[in-house]
């Protein structure tokens, strides 16, 4: 528990300044590249994930449901691989487990109109729960990646904005932070 508190404190230090800008419900529909075929089971899991996160296009709904803790500012890759946006977490879910229906983080991209657009989710398992030296956790048939800068395992799922690099890749070249008031550039 002490490790989780330390992790959350460190992540909070990276959080952007100010209050999140809420967004209204949106008609945005996922456009996951059809060329990315993962089989029937994973396709169903991705559909389930979209179903359980659809209401979170409205940031207020996500916040009321537990995903209101700012974890990072708007993140872009210093190496030019793209962005991730703002990460908001449900700290009650950061418990060493990962299930399709309960992503620990929701990722939002800032828009020109001041709204936040839900673009992806991220599953995280801190090293305190699953050693860095252990075999990677697996979800959607994908191995989690080590994120040493945050001392955790992570797996992204770009279910609300197409990622030409791949649905499970960390950075999305179609996501940027140009409309953010606070951003963080980093590599991982």
């Amino acid at each position: 528990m002490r490790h989780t508190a330390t992790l959350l404190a460190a992540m909070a230090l990276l959080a952007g300044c100010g209050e999140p800008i809420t967004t209204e419900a949106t008609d945005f529909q996922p456009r996951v590249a059809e060329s990315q075929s993962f089989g029937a089971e994973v396709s169903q899991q991705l559909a389930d994930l979209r179903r359980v996160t659809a209401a979170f296009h409205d940031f207020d709904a996500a916040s009321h449901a537990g995903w209101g803790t700012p974890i990072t500012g708007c993140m872009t890759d210093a190496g030019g691989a793209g962005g991730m946006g703002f990460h908001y977490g449900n700290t009650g879910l950061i418990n060493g487990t990962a299930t399709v229906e309960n992503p620990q983080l929701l990722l939002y991209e800032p828009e020109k109109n001041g709204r936040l657009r839900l673009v992806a989710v991220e599953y995280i398992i801190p090293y305190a729960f699953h050693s860095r030296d252990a075999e990677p956790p697996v979800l959607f048939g994908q191995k989690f990646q080590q994120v040493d800068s945050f001392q955790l395992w992570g797996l992204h799922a770009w279910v609300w904005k197409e990622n030409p690099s791949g649905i499970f890749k960390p950075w999305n070249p179609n996501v940027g932070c140009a409309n953010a008031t606070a951003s963080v550039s980093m590599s991982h």
Side-chain angles (χ1 to χ4, degrees):
M1 189 64 158
R2 181 174 160 231
H3 294 289
T4 301
T6 302
L7 172 69
L8 291 175
M11 291 167 72
L13 289 174
L14 293 173
C17 299
E19 293 297 312
I21 302 165
T22 59
T23 185
E24 298 170 8
T26 179
D27 60 358
F28 180 77
Q29 296 296 314
R31 295 184 308 148
V32 176
E34 293 182 17
S35 63
Q36 297 179 21
S37 177
F38 298 102
E41 181 180 357
V42 172
S43 294
Q44 182 59 54
Q45 290 173 332
L46 291 169
D48 291 344
L49 176 58
R50 284 186 203 96
R51 180 183 47 76
V52 299
T53 59
F56 303 146
H57 285 286
D58 178 343
F59 183 83
D60 287 336
S63 184
H64 284 95
W67 282 271
T69 303
I71 303 296
T72 70
C74 194
M75 292 178 61
T76 57
D77 178 46
M84 291 184 193
F86 293 96
H87 293 65
Y88 287 90
N90 184 328
T91 57
L93 296 175
I94 302 175
N95 59 12
T97 64
T99 62
V100 170
E101 298 83 12
N102 293 301
Q104 288 82 9
L105 307 177
L106 300 177
L107 282 61
Y108 288 90
E109 179 181 29
E111 296 182 300
K112 284 183 181 181
N113 61 9
R115 294 181 180 161
L116 293 176
R117 174 169 286 203
L118 177 64
V119 292
V121 305
E122 185 175 2
Y123 299 89
I124 62 170
I125 299 178
Y127 291 161
F129 293 107
H130 191 96
S131 169
R132 183 188 188 286
D133 299 324
E135 286 294 313
V138 175
L139 191 63
F140 301 107
Q142 304 293 310
K143 292 180 179 179
F144 281 52
Q145 295 182 351
Q146 293 175 332
V147 186
D148 290 336
S149 55
F150 290 113
Q151 296 294 296
L152 56 80
W153 295 93
L155 179 67
H156 291 79
W158 294 92
V159 293
W160 293 109
K161 185 160 190 170
E162 185 174 2
N163 184 350
S165 299
I167 192 169
F168 298 112
K169 297 296 182 184
W171 299 103
N172 186 333
N174 290 338
V175 172
C177 294
N179 300 313
T181 56
S183 64
V184 175
S185 291
M186 64 184 309
S187 299
H188 84 59

